[in-house]
Amino acid sequence: MAAGLAERSCLELGPAARAPPRRLREVAFSPPGTSPLPLGRYGDSAGGFCYRECAQLGAATRNRFVRWTTSGDTLELVEESLDNELLNNAVRLCIQGCPLLPGGVHICEVQSHLVVLLVTVQSVHRVVLPHPACSYRSELIMESQIQSVFTDIGKINFRDPANYYLIPSVPGLASNSVASAAWLSSEGEALFALPSAAGGIFVIKLPPHDLPGTVSVVELKQSSVVQRFLTGWMPTAIRGDCGPSDLPISLSVHCLDHDAFLFALCQDHKLRMWSYKDQMCLMVADLLEFMPVSRDLRLAAGTGHRLRLAFSQSLGLYLGVYMHAPKRGQFCVFQLVSTESNRYSLDHISSLFSSQETLVDFALTSAEIWALWHNEENQTVVKYINFEQNVAGQWNQVFVQPLPEEEVTVRHDQDPRETYLEYLFMPGRFTNAAIQKALQIFSQGTERHMDLTWDELKKEVTLAVENEFQGSVTEYECSPEEFWQLQVEFWSKFYACCLQYQEALSRPLALHLNPYTSMVCLLKKGSLSFLVPCSLVDHLYLLSNEHLLMEDDAAILDDLEMSRDVVCLVQCLRLIGESISMEMAFIMEMACSRLQPPEKAAEQILEDLIANDTDNVMEDIHSKLQEIRNPIHAIGVLIREMDYETDADMERAHPLNMRMNLTQLYGSGMAVSVVCWGVCKIATIRFLICRDLLILQQLLLRLGDPMVLGGGQLFQSQQDLLHRTSPLLLSYYLIRWASQCLASDVPVDTLESNLQHLSVLELADTTALTTHKLVSSPQTIVELFFREVARKHIVSRLFLQPNTSLAETSLNWPHLITAIVADFLPLLWPSNPGFLFPECLMGSCQYTQLQEYIRLLQPWCHVNMGSCCFMMGRCYLVMGEGHKALDRFCQAASEVGREEFLDRLIQPEEGEMVSTPRLQYYNKVLRLLDMVGLPELVIQLASLAIMESADDWRSQATLRTCIFKHHLDLGHNSEAYVALTQNPDPSRQLDCLRQLVVVLCERSQLQDLVEFPYVNLHNEVVGIIESHARAVDLMTHNYYELLYAFHIYRHNYRKAGTVMFEYGMRLGREVRTLRGLQKQGNCFLAAINCLRLIRPEYAWIVQPASGAVYERPGASPKRSHDGEYTAVPTTRQIEILELEDLEKECVLARIRLTLVQHDLSTAAVAGSSTPEEMVALLVRAGLFDTAITLCQTFKLLLTPVFEGLTFKCIKLQLGGEAAQTEAWDWLAANQLSALVTTKESSATDEAWRLLSSYLERYPSQNSLYHRCVINKLLAHGIPLPNWLINSYKKVDAAELLRLYLNYDLLEEAADLVLEYVDAVLGKGHQYFGIEHPLSAMAPMVWLPYTAIDQLLQALQESTTNHYNVMLYEKLHDKLEDYHQKVSLVSRDRLYRHN
């Protein structure tokens, strides 16, 4: 529509604060020299201050302002910001006993300071604060929270004499005037202008705060008659002395470079202008000249007059004067005109009349007047007018926030408590402060309720009302009707308390107009509200009838006739709306809530209207319809104005970090609540418009009058409009619901879990999802959306357009708030392709609200249906209803590729294989279900996806792998195996097979693993199990036994034997414990059994590789210590092991076990010992029988056994009692032929006997074992036992002689030679094993002459030993005798031969 914003009505946006009342810092002081005065003399007042650069985008004070309220001697100062949350921004200043003058707060801004000037009835004060621009550089204000200008106010010394002054008794403050003005001079002096008790003005001047000086008081007086020509009329003469009629009742000041003009509106209805520098009156104007004057008015004191100034650099200084008269008032606007020689006059611009009685406040700009009244019913009235353009003097309405309903209607089918709680705590109705105050009164002050959150307050209210109710019920029994009536009574009582306090807190005290941004606020006690322009549709619908009639002639459209049609149409809608009762309105509300067609509800309401039409409203509507030339077209225009559907999605947000000074624009809680409350108000109004429009369309269909319908209009066009209006109504219903639906508090762990799910969907980095910020009050979901997402989009669209110079852009509140709301509504509009709002709800874990949103949306909105299904699936998933979630996810699949949100959802990652959009969607959902932990649903969805991927083997492989994994996780082993075999990718199939083996082994489900057929996968299975068997710990995993069972099940006995033999070998090397050796023995036995089941010619195996290194597929290459690759070992020679070799290994294993069972300390070395090493270990342990068995098995000499046993005998012979006792242990482990356990038998005897038995039992070639035993004994210096000597003499007497000689046993050697010679000669020959002694008839005999010669030589050389000399002679004689006999026998033999 063509009309601009200039002459529209405005809406008050004052969302009721849900946060606890602001905690103000208390600062109290009493100025010295003052005396306490009563505080109830003046009413509460309020005011505001704007920073000069608040409209500049690049300023530190952008969108910041200060507001205050005064009550008695207390001043509350609050700094507000639309961009940032201000810390320490509220202070309560109490100047004890000194009531502040209404309007006695003045704030001035200098380059480095903010100066607060205060006027009380006894004193003036100056408070100097650091300017925000000095604390923050604007380009660095990116934080959501910053410090306020009042942060350091507690450090100020308020009793410093330089910053306050007591008002002198002479001239004294006028008692019947509250006027005051204060300003700062160009030199930094603080000046206070006050009305004096005698009439006129006096000015108190404080020196600059940072320079020493004295306070001065100047009284402004007129000393002569001054004549001035003012706009062509002559003023009245002024007497030389000021009378009481000159008493200023309103003061304003206009500062110049080195002077200040002080304007005083006095009781005598005259306006006086003073120059402070010259201390002279420059102008006097009689304002009665500009209004209809009666004699009574001229004689009465003008106590209700008001004066305001407005300065424009281009237009100069404007003066706005409100002249109060009984039952009427008049605004006069003047422009100050200067002529030559410092002469000033007033140029009358406009006179505007008002019928309102009580003016509370008004504000002036160079073009407008904004006024605040209380009417006769004590209701707030706000209007504004553009006095330059509005020649008709027609004021524009401001639709103020209405108070909540005086009564809450509770139907009999409703619970009173639920109904009242819903109404009380509906966002926007009651403030937290009002409910807390009502609770305090209702509870009769028994408890102090402070700083309660919204939810805590709700609980406390419920508890308080229920307690009161229970305490009043005296009867034990009452009927349900009585009980219901009592509940209503007590809840309505509490509701009345809330209403009373809400009304008190909502009462406006003043207007605050920001001249830089054109923002207008209503200042209330403890809160404020904002006035924003109405859209044209809302403006027409809300206007009162008399104003709407005037709009009839206004060109609201380019086409004047169409404009009249639209106005008539709106008048019809107003007639319908005013006729609808609460019950009728409830019908439409319920239809929307219960997803019933609004058209049917409108038809029912129309029937009720017709049935109850006592005031002939239908006739009025019918006659009004006659005035509309083209109703179908007019309805279409109205619908188009309210429809925010866009063809394409609004472009996504630009990166705001490019323009740092925009990151927080309109980001404060106040700005968020104002924008969102504006959306709520618009949605509420538009819902009513659409409702009335639906009813009117039903009426048109019912009338069917071609004259009314503009002739020629088709029934189809009416139906089309009806079906366009219905979604419009439902859209506004949905937005209104969302604007009143509170967001839930979400625990941090839930947020983190949600963020993980979103990261799986790859949505966590989108602009819709940012870190969930904590806010001070429960926010609605629309506020949450605006704060987190929409604000950035809107700011980007408004400010980050090409060729926009931000430095030159100033903020205009009416245009900006209108643009922001206009851009915000399409983001919330359900039928737009953008899906940011539900996406934000999902990202913020608002699943209950999201479910309700989609429930209200789905039956009629056919946009983003797939995205809604996906969102509902996410909700079901979070609520634990997985199967419902899967159904919704599957429904959403059909819309993939058609909707923006689903398209973003399936964007492939970098490097990810690109498949069809629907497969990518399934992949994302599968990953989500997997993370949530729903394997059954993953299997179902993957099975469904496989049907979509018939031609894509890679996707098939991925999905089959997914199915396999989750079947395996669920323990569905057979299904997992089937999925594995169906996988078309060999590498994935191998991975799955490997996983199957490992998992089933860990679960000990080995029978399944062994019995699967493994068609075409047999070698792979064997390779996997072998690689695992060789790579893992032998005692904690049983892969070898699994592989053995695998081969046995398939009758492959040789492979089974090979496996068990390798297992046994590794056990010996790696598991050096008793249990390991036991298992090793069993392994070798199993291997032998396997080979015995095979025909003998095939009973062999290949010797497994030694060491722990096997060639495993996929193993990483090994490196040396310097990082180089080690050389690949050359191919080893294959060694074949037959059954006999395995039996030997089995014996060795059994002997190892025997040894370790006897002595556990040997386990560390026994496992991998060779047979030779085992013999040594057995001998050391005393297991000689076992050692001999091992030697016989492996065909080893028994020498180590005999040496070991001999050594033990030596130790026993030389040892003590302890050695004897210990010896019985190992003696018992050996089988003695006939153990003698008499008292005379000792362990030593038994050991020697065991040695003797071994020498007899195990003869050796060349008497090797005897020799080693004797050698051992002689080496240790042990005399040879007789049995050993006798035994060896029979075997090898010559060797015994040599041994004696080796160890220098000459005496024993000599005795042996003597006996040997006798034996040869026939004396005792049987003891030396000589069958035939020396004889001519017998075979030849011999003597070891070499050894005997060595003995003789040794005896001959030891001449010092007499005994040796005797032995030598004896031996020499014996040999001589022997030689003679030998000679004789030799001759006889020769003789016989001859």
Side-chain angles (χ1 to χ4, degrees):
M1 291 186 182
L5 295 173
E7 289 299 311
R8 298 266 177 89
S9 54
C10 287
L11 270 176
E12 179 194 0
L13 297 182
R18 297 180 290 277
R22 192 193 310 267
R23 186 180 290 276
L24 290 88
R25 288 181 299 156
E26 305 277 352
V27 179
F29 69 98
S30 177
T34 60
S35 56
L37 294 176
L39 303 180
R41 179 178 174 185
Y42 304 118
D44 295 349
S45 69
F49 162 78
C50 311
Y51 294 96
R52 275 194 297 269
E53 294 184 343
C54 63
Q56 302 305 312
L57 272 175
T61 53
R62 180 188 67 197
N63 280 330
R64 287 170 70 169
F65 59 96
V66 178
R67 62 180 175 88
W68 63 82
T69 56
T70 66
S71 179
D73 61 356
T74 301
L75 166 68
E76 291 184 4
L77 286 161
V78 181
E79 186 182 17
E80 304 282 11
S81 171
L82 297 176
D83 295 349
N84 310 86
E85 304 297 341
L86 299 177
L87 304 174
N88 305 304
N89 67 324
V91 62
R92 180 181 285 119
L93 191 62
C94 182
I95 309 174
Q96 294 167 345
C98 297
L100 285 104
L101 290 181
V105 181
H106 309 270
I107 298 181
C108 305
E109 183 181 10
V110 292
Q111 187 172 5
S112 57
H113 293 94
L114 196 69
V115 182
V116 182
L117 304 175
L118 307 177
V119 182
T120 76
V121 295
Q122 297 189 74
S123 56
V124 295
H125 300 264
R126 172 173 57 192
V127 181
V128 182
L129 301 166
H131 197 281
C134 300
S135 305
Y136 289 94
R137 296 201 352 251
S138 60
E139 62 269 19
L140 296 180
I141 302 181
M142 296 182 64
E143 303 88 357
S144 59
Q145 295 183 333
I146 60 175
Q147 293 293 339
S148 164
V149 71
F150 298 125
T151 296
D152 296 327
I153 198 168
K155 301 176 182 178
I156 295 174
N157 179 11
F158 289 93
R159 299 166 66 91
D160 182 0
N163 286 319
Y164 81 94
Y165 187 73
L166 298 183
I167 296 174
S169 55
V170 178
L173 185 65
S175 60
N176 56 346
S177 175
V178 296
S180 68
W183 70 97
L184 291 180
S185 70
S186 56
E187 290 78 21
E189 301 154 328
L191 298 110
F192 302 85
L194 301 168
S196 67
I201 305 167
F202 68 96
V203 180
I204 299 173
K205 180 174 73 174
L206 300 184
H209 70 93
D210 51 357
L211 295 174
T214 58
V215 178
S216 65
V217 180
V218 174
E219 192 170 3
L220 301 181
K221 294 182 179 180
Q222 294 176 236
S223 56
S224 61
V225 176
V226 182
Q227 297 274 335
R228 292 288 186 267
F229 285 99
L230 296 177
T231 63
W233 53 272
M234 293 292 293
T236 57
I238 303 170
R239 299 182 183 89
D241 53 342
C242 294
S245 61
D246 301 342
L247 180 69
I249 55 173
S250 186
L251 286 171
S252 291
V253 66
H254 174 61
C255 295
L256 304 175
D257 289 340
H258 298 289
D259 195 2
F261 287 165
L262 197 59
F263 295 88
L265 185 56
C266 302
Q267 284 190 131
D268 59 359
H269 317 294
K270 294 180 180 177
L271 178 67
R272 294 173 171 83
M273 181 179 116
W274 296 81
S275 166
Y276 172 73
K277 177 183 175 184
D278 300 332
Q279 296 182 17
M280 61 182 293
C281 181
L282 301 179
M283 182 190 69
V284 176
D286 185 357
L287 298 179
L288 294 180
E289 300 288 339
F290 300 94
M291 62 184 295
V293 179
S294 66
R295 187 165 179 272
D296 293 339
L297 179 61
R298 186 176 292 277
L299 295 176
T303 55
H305 301 336
R306 303 287 178 90
L307 171 65
R308 297 288 184 268
L309 303 183
F311 179 73
S312 165
Q313 292 286 353
S314 57
L315 301 174
L317 184 66
Y318 282 78
L319 289 82
V321 178
Y322 175 73
M323 300 298 290
H324 174 72
K327 296 187 179 181
R328 62 189 175 90
Q330 177 180 336
F331 291 92
C332 294
V333 182
F334 303 97
Q335 187 173 16
L336 185 67
V337 179
S338 64
T339 57
E340 66 282 354
S341 66
N342 273 355
R343 293 175 179 271
Y344 292 90
S345 62
L346 293 179
D347 184 7
H348 180 244
I349 302 295
S350 179
S351 287
L352 305 163
F353 296 92
S354 167
S355 60
Q356 303 296 332
E357 178 68 25
T358 308
L359 181 74
V360 178
D361 191 18
F362 84 95
L364 176 72
T365 71
S366 57
E368 294 174 338
I369 290 177
W370 292 77
L372 166 65
W373 290 276
H374 285 153
N375 64 12
E376 294 172 355
E377 290 83 23
N378 208 23
Q379 294 175 334
T380 299
V381 176
V382 183
K383 295 183 179 180
Y384 79 98
I385 190 169
N386 187 309
F387 54 78
E388 287 192 329
Q389 297 178 1
N390 195 327
V391 292
Q394 180 63 44
W395 289 81
N396 296 297
Q397 281 187 293
V398 174
F399 303 108
V400 296
Q401 185 90 8
L403 285 171
E405 299 291 336
E406 290 190 5
E407 292 182 1
V408 177
T409 303
V410 185
R411 301 193 312 277
H412 281 282
D413 61 340
Q414 290 179 310
D415 178 21
R417 179 178 64 183
E418 293 299 324
T419 305
Y420 273 97
L421 282 176
E422 181 183 354
Y423 197 85
L424 280 168
F425 289 91
M426 176 68 73
R429 282 212 178 110
F430 288 90
T431 64
N432 188 305
I435 299 177
Q436 284 202 31
K437 285 181 179 292
L439 181 60
Q440 194 69 39
I441 296 299
F442 193 80
S443 303
Q444 298 175 356
T446 53
E447 295 181 23
R448 184 127 177 97
H449 301 283
M450 290 294 292
D451 297 337
L452 296 177
T453 65
W454 200 240
D455 290 335
E456 292 169 347
L457 187 59
K458 195 172 185 178
K459 293 176 185 175
E460 289 293 333
V461 166
T462 307
L463 196 61
V465 178
E466 291 296 320
N467 286 344
E468 287 285 324
F469 170 66
Q470 298 293 342
S472 68
V473 177
T474 55
E475 298 180 8
Y476 289 104
E477 292 185 6
C478 62
S479 66
E481 292 78 11
E482 291 172 338
F483 185 82
W484 183 87
Q485 192 61 45
L486 281 172
Q487 275 192 307
V488 170
E489 181 182 330
F490 278 89
W491 276 104
S492 62
K493 179 182 172 185
F494 178 76
Y495 180 79
C497 287
C498 293
L499 198 60
Q500 180 182 349
Y501 281 104
Q502 182 68 25
E503 184 175 1
L505 292 173
S506 301
R507 190 176 181 83
L509 299 176
L511 279 166
H512 170 56
L513 192 149
N514 186 327
Y516 307 106
T517 63
S518 302
M519 180 176 71
V520 184
C521 301
L522 283 181
L523 302 179
K524 306 175 182 181
K525 192 171 179 63
S527 66
L528 79 161
S529 57
F530 298 81
L531 306 184
V532 300
C534 259
S535 67
L536 179 60
V537 175
D538 305 340
H539 165 76
L540 292 175
Y541 186 76
L542 295 174
L543 274 180
S544 59
N545 286 329
E546 62 270 18
H547 285 81
L548 192 59
L549 291 171
M550 293 179 180
E551 291 284 349
D552 199 2
D553 297 325
I556 57 174
L557 297 173
D558 295 334
D559 183 349
L560 185 59
E561 290 187 350
M562 182 51 63
S563 299
R564 289 175 179 167
D565 281 359
V566 169
V567 170
C568 287
L569 179 64
V570 172
Q571 288 176 333
C572 293
L573 298 181
R574 285 284 302 275
L575 287 170
I576 292 173
E578 290 167 358
S579 304
I580 290 177
S581 65
M582 190 176 296
E583 290 77 12
M584 296 176 188
F586 186 70
I587 293 173
M588 184 62 78
E589 294 282 344
M590 284 298 99
C592 295
S593 176
R594 295 171 180 173
L595 310 180
Q596 297 165 353
E599 300 94 327
K600 298 290 185 186
E603 191 173 358
Q604 183 182 345
I605 294 171
L606 177 62
E607 291 174 357
D608 292 347
L609 282 173
I610 294 172
N612 300 312
D613 186 14
T614 57
D615 298 331
N616 296 322
V617 175
M618 289 299 138
E619 288 187 15
D620 295 343
I621 296 172
H622 192 271
S623 63
K624 186 62 70 174
L625 285 172
Q626 300 289 344
E627 300 176 18
I628 305 176
R629 296 175 63 257
N630 192 336
I632 300 295
H633 193 186
I635 292 171
V637 169
L638 207 58
I639 290 174
R640 280 197 302 274
E641 278 299 305
M642 293 190 291
D643 194 353
Y644 284 91
E645 186 172 335
T646 55
D647 294 333
D649 185 20
M650 297 177 69
E651 58 183 306
R652 303 185 68 80
H654 299 269
L656 286 182
N657 54 5
M658 294 170 54
R659 303 287 177 85
M660 289 190 296
N661 53 2
L662 287 176
T663 54
Q664 294 300 325
L665 186 64
Y666 297 121
S668 73
M670 174 179 288
V672 170
S673 62
V674 168
V675 171
C676 296
W677 188 242
V679 167
C680 182
K681 292 283 286 185
I682 289 173
T684 304
I685 296 166
R686 301 280 177 86
F687 174 77
L688 298 178
I689 296 172
C690 293
R691 180 199 66 188
D692 300 345
L693 192 57
L694 267 180
I695 297 169
L696 182 66
Q697 287 173 328
Q698 291 287 3
L699 178 61
L700 287 173
L701 284 173
R702 177 172 294 214
L703 290 173
D705 188 348
M707 294 302 295
V708 172
L709 297 176
Q713 289 293 335
L714 298 175
F715 178 79
Q716 186 63 39
S717 300
Q718 304 167 42
Q719 290 288 348
D720 290 345
L721 284 177
L722 197 67
H723 294 314
R724 283 177 61 192
T725 310
S726 180
L728 210 61
L729 176 133
L730 291 169
S731 296
Y732 281 117
Y733 177 83
L734 189 61
I735 294 172
R736 189 191 69 180
W737 168 85
S739 300
Q740 296 173 337
C741 177
L742 291 178
S744 307
D745 289 332
V746 184
V748 176
D749 55 345
T750 305
L751 281 173
E752 291 175 352
S753 171
N754 187 56
L755 201 60
Q756 291 177 352
H757 296 171
L758 297 176
S759 65
V760 167
L761 298 174
E762 294 160 32
L763 290 174
D765 57 345
T766 67
T767 55
L769 304 162
T770 58
T771 306
H772 195 62
K773 300 181 182 68
L774 296 173
V775 291
S776 60
S777 63
Q779 53 187 345
T780 65
I781 56 176
V782 170
E783 289 172 348
L784 173 70
F785 175 54
F786 183 78
R787 186 189 301 272
E788 301 291 338
V789 181
R791 183 183 65 85
K792 297 174 184 175
H793 282 260
I794 295 165
V795 169
S796 299
R797 286 174 59 83
L798 292 178
F799 292 98
L800 297 184
Q801 303 299 333
N803 305 320
T804 301
S805 174
L806 294 182
E808 299 173 2
T809 305
S810 62
L811 303 172
N812 181 280
W813 171 254
H815 287 90
L816 270 178
I817 188 67
T818 304
I820 288 171
V821 171
D823 274 2
F824 190 22
L825 277 167
L827 293 175
L828 291 168
W829 201 251
S831 56
N832 279 341
F835 203 62
L836 292 176
F837 182 44
E839 191 177 345
C840 174
L841 295 182
M842 179 182 72
S844 303
C845 301
Q846 304 298 317
Y847 291 109
T848 306
Q849 295 85 340
L850 182 56
Q851 273 185 292
E852 180 64 13
Y853 176 83
I854 295 173
R855 185 189 76 84
L856 294 171
L857 182 70
Q858 275 194 323
W860 58 271
C861 182
H862 305 298
V863 179
N864 289 319
M865 295 177 66
S867 302
C868 285
C869 284
F870 180 85
M871 288 295 181
M872 192 60 92
R874 280 283 291 127
C875 294
Y876 283 138
L877 210 55
V878 172
M879 305 297 180
E881 299 182 89
H883 290 285
K884 288 184 180 179
L886 183 61
D887 290 343
R888 289 306 183 114
F889 288 144
C890 294
Q891 289 174 26
S894 62
E895 300 300 319
V896 171
R898 303 178 188 172
E899 298 178 9
E900 186 267 346
F901 170 75
L902 295 177
D903 287 347
R904 273 192 295 118
L905 190 68
I906 64 171
Q907 285 178 353
E909 297 180 16
E910 187 176 349
E912 184 182 357
M913 179 187 64
V914 178
S915 56
T916 64
R918 191 170 294 190
L919 281 177
Q920 288 174 284
Y921 168 77
Y922 282 136
N923 184 39
K924 286 288 177 69
V925 178
L926 285 169
R927 288 166 62 184
L928 177 62
L929 294 173
D930 189 15
M931 171 164 278
V932 175
L934 296 171
E936 299 97 335
L937 303 185
V938 172
I939 293 168
Q940 288 184 42
L941 186 60
S943 303
L944 182 66
I946 284 173
M947 292 188 283
E948 297 277 345
S949 60
D951 302 327
D952 187 350
W953 69 270
R954 289 186 177 86
S955 298
Q956 285 255 350
T958 304
L959 293 168
R960 298 278 183 197
T961 302
C962 181
I963 292 174
F964 161 80
K965 173 185 177 298
H966 289 91
H967 271 312
L968 191 59
D969 290 344
L970 291 170
H972 303 161
N973 300 340
S974 300
E975 291 85 349
Y977 172 75
V978 171
L980 177 153
T981 57
Q982 293 174 345
N983 199 316
D985 185 351
S987 64
R988 284 180 181 267
Q989 192 178 51
L990 194 58
D991 291 340
C992 294
L993 189 60
R994 190 175 293 113
Q995 191 175 358
L996 179 72
V997 170
V998 173
V999 171
L1000 292 188
C1001 282
E1002 289 174 350
R1003 294 179 186 162
S1004 300
Q1005 296 174 333
L1006 304 180
Q1007 185 169 355
D1008 286 350
L1009 186 58
V1010 168
E1011 293 179 356
F1012 286 140
Y1014 301 111
V1015 178
N1016 299 324
L1017 292 171
H1018 182 274
N1019 294 336
E1020 287 80 358
V1021 176
V1022 172
I1024 289 168
I1025 300 176
E1026 279 183 352
S1027 66
H1028 277 84
R1030 292 166 180 169
V1032 300
D1033 181 44
L1034 294 173
M1035 298 306 286
T1036 55
H1037 297 83
N1038 55 357
Y1039 286 109
Y1040 277 109
E1041 293 173 8
L1042 169 65
L1043 195 55
Y1044 171 74
F1046 184 87
H1047 289 311
I1048 290 292
Y1049 184 77
R1050 288 160 178 76
H1051 307 292
N1052 194 340
Y1053 298 115
R1054 183 193 292 164
K1055 285 279 185 72
T1058 304
V1059 168
M1060 295 312 285
F1061 185 73
E1062 180 183 322
Y1063 188 21
M1065 284 180 60
R1066 286 192 60 203
L1067 283 168
R1069 282 195 304 270
E1070 300 172 24
V1071 187
R1072 302 187 178 186
T1073 62
L1074 176 62
R1075 184 161 170 260
L1077 292 172
Q1078 289 172 337
K1079 288 179 75 74
Q1080 185 186 42
N1082 293 335
C1083 290
F1084 289 152
L1085 284 173
I1088 290 170
N1089 285 340
C1090 288
L1091 292 190
R1092 283 178 177 164
L1093 293 170
I1094 307 173
R1095 284 188 293 174
E1097 60 267 28
Y1098 297 112
W1100 54 267
I1101 63 173
V1102 177
Q1103 168 77 43
S1106 61
V1109 178
Y1110 296 88
E1111 292 181 7
R1112 297 192 299 276
S1116 60
K1118 300 297 180 277
R1119 300 172 184 266
S1120 62
H1121 65 278
D1122 57 358
E1124 297 297 327
Y1125 289 108
T1126 54
V1128 179
T1130 56
T1131 305
R1132 60 185 177 85
Q1133 187 175 359
I1134 295 176
E1135 185 178 350
I1136 301 298
L1137 297 179
E1138 296 182 341
L1139 185 59
E1140 182 183 352
D1141 300 319
L1142 262 67
E1143 289 172 342
K1144 285 183 181 180
E1145 287 292 337
C1146 186
V1147 170
L1148 179 60
R1150 191 167 61 247
I1151 288 173
R1152 285 172 181 154
L1153 179 61
T1154 303
L1155 172 64
V1156 175
Q1157 287 172 335
H1158 180 76
D1159 182 4
L1160 281 174
S1161 65
T1162 60
V1165 294
S1168 59
S1169 300
T1170 62
E1172 291 81 1
E1173 293 168 342
M1174 275 303 301
V1175 170
L1177 292 171
L1178 290 166
V1179 167
R1180 192 180 70 178
L1183 302 178
F1184 297 105
D1185 282 353
T1186 309
I1188 289 171
T1189 303
L1190 181 60
C1191 291
Q1192 290 173 336
T1193 301
F1194 286 90
K1195 298 181 174 55
L1196 302 177
L1197 291 174
L1198 299 180
T1199 305
V1201 179
F1202 284 102
E1203 287 182 348
L1205 181 54
T1206 304
F1207 184 68
K1208 281 192 177 291
C1209 292
I1210 294 169
K1211 284 178 67 179
L1212 280 172
Q1213 190 161 326
L1214 300 177
E1217 194 66 33
Q1220 294 282 329
T1221 306
E1222 183 185 346
W1224 286 112
D1225 293 335
W1226 61 264
L1227 283 169
N1230 297 284
Q1231 295 179 355
L1232 292 173
S1233 55
L1235 186 61
V1236 180
T1237 55
T1238 62
K1239 289 184 179 179
E1240 292 79 10
S1241 177
S1242 65
T1244 307
D1245 296 335
E1246 291 302 316
W1248 285 112
R1249 201 161 72 82
L1250 182 63
L1251 178 59
S1252 173
S1253 68
Y1254 283 167
L1255 287 171
E1256 290 176 7
R1257 199 182 309 162
Y1258 305 112
S1260 61
Q1261 188 177 7
N1262 299 327
S1263 61
L1264 176 63
Y1265 302 147
H1266 282 82
R1267 186 166 63 248
C1268 77
V1269 170
I1270 294 170
N1271 213 359
K1272 190 66 135 177
L1273 289 170
L1274 294 179
H1276 286 80
I1278 303 297
L1280 300 181
N1282 290 328
W1283 63 265
L1284 182 58
I1285 295 171
N1286 294 333
S1287 174
Y1288 199 27
K1289 282 193 297 186
K1290 284 184 180 181
V1291 176
D1292 194 349
E1295 183 61 30
L1296 179 61
L1297 174 61
R1298 283 192 286 273
L1299 288 171
Y1300 279 153
L1301 290 174
N1302 286 344
Y1303 290 97
D1304 280 344
L1305 299 175
L1306 301 181
E1307 184 179 349
E1308 289 82 351
D1311 291 341
L1312 178 61
V1313 170
L1314 291 173
E1315 289 180 14
Y1316 195 14
V1317 171
D1318 287 340
V1320 170
L1321 293 177
K1323 182 182 177 180
H1325 62 87
Q1326 68 274 11
Y1327 297 117
F1328 282 86
I1330 299 173
E1331 294 181 8
H1332 305 285
L1334 183 64
S1335 167
M1337 302 297 292
M1340 292 183 290
V1341 294
W1342 57 275
L1343 287 177
Y1345 286 110
T1346 305
I1348 292 171
D1349 288 342
Q1350 290 174 352
L1351 174 62
L1352 290 171
Q1353 180 68 26
L1355 289 171
Q1356 189 177 7
E1357 289 177 355
S1358 58
T1359 55
T1360 55
N1361 191 328
H1362 179 67
Y1363 185 69
N1364 286 349
V1365 173
M1366 290 175 62
L1367 284 175
Y1368 175 78
E1369 291 174 354
K1370 190 176 179 179
L1371 185 58
H1372 188 271
D1373 293 341
K1374 177 63 78 173
L1375 287 174
E1376 286 292 335
D1377 183 44
Y1378 173 72
H1379 288 145
Q1380 289 176 5
K1381 290 179 180 179
V1382 167
S1383 177
L1384 180 61
V1385 170
S1386 296
R1387 284 196 297 273
D1388 288 345
R1389 182 180 286 277
L1390 289 173
Y1391 178 74
R1392 285 178 178 278
H1393 278 290
N1394 294 332

